Amino acid sequence: MTDPAPVQDVARLGATDVGAVLALLRAATAADGVRPLSEDAELRLQHGGPAGGRDVLARAADGALAGYGRFEGGDGTGDAEAELVVAPPHRRQGIGRALLTRMEQLAGDRPLRVWAHGDLPGATELAARRGYDRARVLLQMRRDLAGVDPEPRPALPDDVSIRPFRPGRDEPAWLRVNARAFATHPEQGTWSAEDLRLRQAEPWFDPAGFFLAWRGDPDAGGTLLGSHWTKVHPPGDEGPEAIGEIYVLGIDPDAQGIGLGRALTDVGLAHLRAAGLSAVLLYVEADNTAAVALYERTGFTRHAVDVSWRRVP
């Protein structure tokens, strides 16, 4: 068996190493047809993250970057989380094993969750061999936009209107509703103002594709009821062609039952179609059978799977 690769972990990588990791991620995406890290992990790689996080590098014998992992320790309680990727030329050489071993050491006596994007055979083999169990399964679903109404006229109560997001003004209201809409979601419901700011600074951010449903005038005491934030992935990000995404669709629990989800969905899909895109994707928990069935009835089909593997020491 190949000796484990040298592994180093730091609280924050320098610019040169960040560039090398981003190049590795592009190579892995091209080889596997799926992005190897989540958006959160990529943002923390580039901008840093909360205390307790570590960037983990594995190097080949010649010093070349052979693998990368992102460890999140949180506040030191509950599950630790990790993601990792091995450069395509260096696979089957013990590098994934070395990265995972270091993640387990960082987690200590806490359970560790490791995301495997694309549910690739190599990741499944490594996780099973190390005693991990499937804890969560996230589906990526897609549909074409050809049948989308380009000019939807959603039926809304007279005092409700849909308007684009206004940077510098709507952040507090959106964060409040996002937390309420995703109160039970392990990632989305905990977004902070910094999490939002980082995404607003990304090249893909477009407030014209970020739709808010208000009751009343937002500048005169109006109440935010829900939102649909769309995203456009450039070619090479999620496939050879650009593709849209239902990025965040959330309704305040007090505003359920008045058709806002369908109205906001229709408006967002029309926006993506008008941008010249031919398809759209979304992510949904596989065990949310009601949501999966709803999306399937509206033309979405299953495209890819992400798995969160969990191990208790």
Side-chain angles (χ1 to χ4, degrees):
M1 181 176 289
T2 305
D3 290 336
V7 173
Q8 169 197 18
D9 61 272
V10 296
R12 182 78 186 274
L13 291 177
T16 299
D17 282 333
V18 168
V21 173
L22 291 174
L24 187 159
L25 299 183
R26 290 192 294 271
T29 301
D32 300 329
V34 61
R35 295 174 66 180
L37 297 185
S38 67
E39 179 186 69
D40 269 346
E42 287 197 33
L43 286 173
R44 290 172 179 180
L45 160 68
Q46 296 178 73
H47 305 289
R54 307 289 290 179
D55 291 308
V56 185
L57 300 181
R59 298 195 180 277
D62 62 358
L65 181 62
Y68 169 78
R70 175 70 193 179
F71 175 84
E72 299 295 345
D75 62 2
T77 64
D79 291 7
E81 296 190 353
E83 301 180 44
L84 61 92
V85 54
V86 177
H90 297 283
R91 293 176 179 174
R92 296 291 178 179
Q93 299 174 22
I95 292 166
R97 173 167 49 90
L99 286 168
L100 187 56
T101 296
R102 184 57 188 146
M103 304 288 194
E104 292 168 352
Q105 292 169 347
L106 291 169
D109 60 0
R110 298 164 57 194
L112 178 64
R113 292 177 181 263
V114 182
W115 277 104
H117 300 282
D119 197 18
L120 301 174
T124 300
E125 179 184 342
L126 177 61
R129 194 166 59 235
R130 298 292 284 248
Y132 285 77
D133 297 311
R134 286 179 178 243
R136 287 173 62 194
V137 178
L138 194 65
L139 300 179
Q140 185 193 120
M141 305 183 72
R142 297 189 178 192
R143 64 157 289 178
D144 66 64
L145 291 170
V148 168
D149 184 350
E151 297 182 2
R153 294 175 176 81
L156 296 170
D158 292 340
D159 61 345
V160 175
S161 61
I162 295 177
R163 310 181 184 204
F165 181 88
R166 301 169 300 172
R169 302 175 71 177
D170 292 335
E171 286 86 350
W174 185 84
L175 284 166
R176 174 184 174 276
V177 171
N178 181 72
R180 286 173 54 79
F182 296 98
T184 61
H185 194 281
E187 292 100 16
Q188 186 66 40
T190 61
W191 273 23
S192 65
E194 177 65 7
D195 292 321
L196 178 56
R197 186 196 69 78
L198 285 175
R199 286 159 176 80
Q200 287 177 272
E202 286 291 287
W204 59 262
F205 178 72
D206 178 11
F210 192 165
F211 302 96
L212 307 186
W214 293 91
R215 173 169 282 133
D217 187 341
D219 294 323
T223 301
L224 182 63
L225 304 179
S227 68
H228 181 188
W229 187 353
T230 68
K231 177 179 180 178
V232 177
H233 295 269
D237 195 11
E238 289 286 349
E241 298 181 359
I243 187 171
E245 179 180 350
I246 297 178
Y247 185 58
V248 184
L249 176 63
I251 309 299
D252 190 287
D254 291 342
Q256 298 284 352
I258 61 173
L260 274 184
R262 178 59 185 269
L264 284 164
T265 298
D266 289 348
V267 169
L269 293 182
H271 169 80
L272 294 172
R273 178 179 175 179
L277 301 171
S278 60
V280 61
L281 65 86
L282 59 78
Y283 290 92
V284 62
E285 300 283 347
D287 62 1
N288 189 345
T289 54
V292 172
L294 172 63
Y295 291 135
E296 288 177 336
R297 288 197 299 272
T298 56
F300 283 88
T301 58
R302 304 180 189 210
H303 179 80
V305 177
D306 294 343
V307 177
S308 175
W309 294 91
R310 184 174 187 263
R311 174 180 178 265
V312 179

